[in-house]
Amino acid sequence: MDILETAAYDRRQRRNTSCALLFSLLPFFLSTALFFYLWTTDSPASIVSAAVKTAPTVLLAAVVLSWNGGQSVLGVAGGLLFSAVGDCCLVWPELFVHGMGAFAVAHLMYSLTFLSSRYPTRSSSSLTIVLFLILLTIGGGYYMYIYPFLQKAPDSELLIPGVGVYIVLITLMGALAIRTRHAATLLGSLSFIVSDIALALQVFKVTQLQHGNTIVMGTYYLAQLLIAVGDIKATANKEDFGKWKRS
């Protein structure tokens, strides 16, 4: 009977936690809806448009900090804040390289977090290497595909090596996300890759996607949401496991 009561209590706790997390994410959903409501293809670059664009990511960082504490500044919360810097830079096309650098730091912080004890190893390191090589091969093929367009860009001397390094970092992040075996984390990393692919196709004038910005920002906000939720869930699962071991 005690075991049944404990199991029922754990289910109630998980349900209450999920409801509390959903409630704390409401500002993110509202700010995302505001962005899509206000944004148009001819929206001028301004401080206001930058604030509207970065608000969802900053709010997500605040949610992660409130759930996981200050140590997450060096992890997913920090990655979200660097992403917000990248969002702000991309409002002005001439700051694209700076934005790419900020996102590269964010991917590095995500990768280090996925390697931490918060995400227990559930697959062999050799499998992680294989997955990384597969993703890197795909990324390398994509890099070769857009290379002629990078050569035509005004900042080609910075973009050609910069985009190459960026592809390596986001590929590493994706491979390490697969390694965690957390569904939200995995889907978030893949959504981030899709968003960046769609963005590059437009920025480097490879092709113009119909509703391209909606695709880019929709998959981007979804990616950040899933990575944030995955990190919160991973921390909660670790704490629950620690309590179980001590009991």
Side-chain angles (χ1 to χ4, degrees):
M1 189 66 178
D2 290 340
I3 296 177
L4 294 177
E5 290 177 352
T6 300
Y9 174 78
D10 289 341
R11 285 196 297 271
R12 287 195 299 271
Q13 285 293 96
R14 286 194 293 270
R15 185 167 58 248
N16 292 339
T17 298
S18 297
C19 291
L21 177 57
L22 180 61
F23 181 78
S24 67
L25 288 170
L26 286 179
F28 164 79
F29 293 124
L30 292 174
S31 60
T32 301
L34 180 64
F35 168 79
F36 285 111
Y37 176 74
L38 295 177
W39 180 88
T40 60
T41 53
D42 55 351
S43 297
S46 66
I47 297 297
V48 174
S49 59
V52 171
K53 185 181 182 184
T54 59
T57 313
V58 172
L59 290 170
L60 270 181
V63 171
V64 174
L65 281 170
S66 67
W67 281 81
N68 292 353
Q71 73 274 9
S72 59
V73 171
L74 298 178
V76 167
L80 288 166
L81 292 175
F82 270 101
S83 294
V85 173
D87 287 333
C88 187
C89 290
L90 294 186
V91 171
W92 290 271
E94 62 272 19
L95 296 180
F96 178 82
V97 173
H98 301 80
M100 184 173 65
F103 279 115
V105 175
H107 292 317
L108 184 59
M109 296 185 78
Y110 291 156
S111 297
L112 292 175
T113 303
F114 299 158
L115 282 171
S116 69
S117 59
R118 187 178 303 145
Y119 294 84
T121 303
R122 298 185 184 181
S123 59
S124 65
S125 58
S126 59
L127 179 58
T128 303
I129 294 173
V130 171
L131 293 172
F132 173 69
L133 291 176
I134 292 173
L135 288 176
L136 188 61
T137 300
I138 296 172
Y142 181 72
Y143 178 74
M144 296 305 296
Y145 175 68
I146 65 172
Y147 184 82
F149 300 92
L150 294 176
Q151 289 180 308
K152 300 175 184 177
D155 298 330
S156 59
E157 67 281 356
L158 289 175
L159 286 174
I160 289 175
V163 171
V165 172
Y166 184 86
I167 287 176
V168 171
L169 289 176
I170 195 172
T171 298
L172 177 63
M173 187 270 291
L176 293 176
I178 296 173
R179 173 183 177 272
T180 67
R181 297 287 183 89
H182 281 267
T185 303
L186 169 57
L187 292 175
S189 67
L190 296 179
S191 184
F192 215 135
I193 292 172
V194 171
S195 176
D196 279 356
I197 288 174
L199 177 64
L201 290 175
Q202 295 188 100
V203 170
F204 303 128
K205 297 179 173 55
V206 179
T207 184
Q208 289 301 315
L209 300 173
Q210 188 176 13
H211 309 298
N213 189 75
T214 302
I215 295 173
V216 170
M217 297 308 298
T219 52
Y220 168 72
Y221 286 137
L222 176 63
Q224 299 287 33
L225 171 65
L226 291 173
I227 290 173
V229 170
D231 193 58
I232 292 170
K233 292 289 188 180
T235 302
N237 290 342
K238 181 185 176 184
E239 291 175 352
D240 290 343
F241 182 69
K243 291 176 184 178
W244 178 82
K245 285 185 68 178
R246 290 193 296 271
S247 63

